[in-house]
Amino acid sequence: MGKLSFGKIEKIRSFLPAICLLLILLVNLVKTPDFFDVSVTNGVFYGFIIDVINRGSELAIIAVGMTLVVSVSGGVDISVGSVAALTAAVITNILSGGEVSVNTLHAPIVLAMAAGLASAFICGVWNGFLVAHLNIQPMVATLILYTAGRGIAQLICGGQITYIRVDAYRALGSNIGNNPVPTPIYLAAAVMILTAIFLRFTSFGLYARAVGMNAEAARLSGLNPRSIKFLTYIISAVLAGLAGAIYSSRIYSCDANNIGLNVEMDAILAVLLGGNKLKGGKFSISGSVIGAYTIQALTTSLYAMGVSSVQIPLSKAAVILIALSLQSPEIEKIFRKVRKAGASPLVKEAAQL
């Protein structure tokens, strides 16, 4: 077995996000010593590190769908935040029966969730149709729902915040019974495991990579790029809808103006941090998930250090700048030159043996 060289390490797609996450945690170890403390209050786990894993669940779920969209279509889905808000609006409207605030449910939660996810599914069909069948650039196509989605959600909610003051509805965004682990953590883990199984034991993962790398070559090989692109936008929208349901359950209400606000930017950043290319092709779901938790760790860390919410976007912008710079063609050329310079003596030495 050969030694683990720099070149081999660089090929591990989760390397960059894992290093970023590790650096943030190491900074916390110095700046916020109690960052890793975990306590149990009223039977529930509390602590900064729990907050990172818990609060990062929605972003991790959305990042899974965004990764598939980016890899297959070479574009981004900027409507995920609006789809999350729209799903939350549908769910709360059904549960409240159209009232602004209720203490009893007007419909079963399962029925409302199914209707909410169905609305997200329809959003995915719309985006997929525009991108896969009308060949509209993904960002432009999803810009329509990005703009209209929150407006539709506002119309459903009557322009007001709808409150569902029922404990059963809060379970999705908090805890179930006496379980100390927040429910969103289980949901995010389930999405990751099911996606991994889906990509590992079906041909979809291979087809998605093939279409993302060269759609025309994939078509000539007998694949149907349109169907694969269409399906990825549906998956992205349904996962955004699930995240919207969690967002809504956390605050036991629907605030259509703020649910999932700007989450599309964080999801794109998570994909980038995960070592994925915006031009499509090969992808790493695990890298994007680590990227999502890195962003949440950064946000939680800054709050723990007393940084104001106004300054946090600047910190994220700095991370985006570093991530994009490391993936730029010019930086890649420098890395290749460094590898060749380091490999040359070894090659010569091997030739002499």
Side-chain angles (χ1 to χ4, degrees):
M1 182 181 292
K3 294 181 179 179
L4 189 61
S5 66
F6 176 78
K8 290 180 180 177
I9 293 175
E10 192 189 19
K11 290 179 180 177
I12 302 174
R13 287 186 168 273
S14 299
F15 178 66
L16 178 62
I19 287 296
C20 291
L21 181 58
L22 184 62
L23 286 175
I24 292 172
L25 295 179
L26 286 176
V27 170
N28 277 292
L29 199 60
V30 177
K31 300 288 290 185
T32 315
D34 62 343
F35 190 83
F36 297 93
D37 292 351
V38 176
S39 61
V40 178
T41 305
N42 297 325
V44 178
F45 287 138
Y46 279 99
F48 287 120
I49 196 68
I50 296 296
D51 192 57
V52 170
I53 302 172
N54 181 21
R55 297 282 175 179
S57 298
E58 293 96 316
L59 180 56
I61 291 171
I62 292 175
V64 170
M66 186 68 78
T67 304
L68 294 175
V69 164
V70 169
S71 65
V72 171
S73 66
V76 295
D77 180 357
I78 62 172
S79 69
V80 288
S82 296
V83 172
L86 178 58
T87 303
V90 171
I91 292 172
T92 53
N93 187 261
I94 292 174
L95 293 178
S96 68
E99 298 179 20
V100 174
S101 178
V102 295
N103 296 313
T104 57
L105 299 177
H106 286 243
I109 292 178
V110 173
L111 175 64
M113 291 289 175
L117 293 178
S119 66
F121 179 89
I122 294 171
C123 292
V125 169
W126 170 257
N127 285 335
F129 174 75
L130 294 179
V131 174
H133 293 279
L134 298 187
N135 291 323
I136 298 176
Q137 207 280 334
M139 181 176 284
V140 176
T142 55
L143 178 63
I144 298 171
L145 266 182
Y146 171 83
T147 306
R150 290 191 187 278
I152 298 171
Q154 285 282 13
L155 288 174
I156 293 173
C157 294
Q160 300 186 42
I161 299 176
T162 303
Y163 290 93
I164 310 296
R165 304 181 188 279
V166 179
D167 288 342
Y169 184 60
R170 301 183 187 185
L172 194 67
S174 56
N175 298 72
I176 298 177
N178 296 323
N179 192 326
V181 180
T183 310
I185 296 177
Y186 290 115
L187 293 173
V191 168
M192 295 169 208
I193 293 171
L194 291 175
T195 304
I197 292 174
F198 179 61
L199 296 177
R200 175 67 179 81
F201 294 102
T202 70
S203 301
F204 181 80
L206 181 62
Y207 294 168
R209 288 182 176 86
V211 172
M213 294 174 73
N214 191 325
E216 181 60 20
R219 188 187 67 79
L220 294 174
S221 300
L223 302 181
N224 188 338
R226 285 185 175 180
S227 298
I228 294 171
K229 286 183 183 178
F230 188 75
L231 181 57
T232 55
Y233 278 87
I234 291 176
I235 294 173
S236 175
V238 171
L239 291 179
L242 176 60
I246 299 173
Y247 280 129
S248 174
S249 177
R250 282 191 192 279
I251 56 176
Y252 55 91
S253 63
C254 175
D255 181 357
N257 280 331
N258 291 304
I259 283 184
L261 186 64
N262 297 329
V263 72
E264 57 275 352
M265 297 298 122
D266 284 346
I268 295 169
L269 175 57
V271 173
L272 282 173
L273 283 174
N276 299 292
K277 308 287 186 184
L278 285 183
K279 62 183 179 183
K282 295 180 180 178
F283 61 89
S284 168
I285 295 291
S286 60
S288 297
V289 170
I290 295 174
Y293 285 112
T294 301
I295 294 169
Q296 185 59 48
L298 177 65
T299 304
T300 303
S301 301
L302 292 173
Y303 277 123
M305 294 175 191
V307 177
S308 70
S309 58
V310 178
Q311 295 173 315
I312 287 179
L314 295 176
S315 303
K316 289 183 178 178
V319 174
I320 294 173
L321 176 62
I322 296 170
L324 289 176
S325 299
L326 288 175
Q327 295 186 38
S328 68
E330 295 303 318
I331 296 296
E332 287 185 354
K333 287 180 182 177
I334 294 173
F335 277 134
R336 280 198 293 270
K337 289 180 180 178
V338 171
R339 283 203 301 271
K340 287 180 179 178
S344 296
L346 295 176
V347 172
K348 292 176 181 177
E349 184 180 341
Q352 293 173 354
L353 294 176

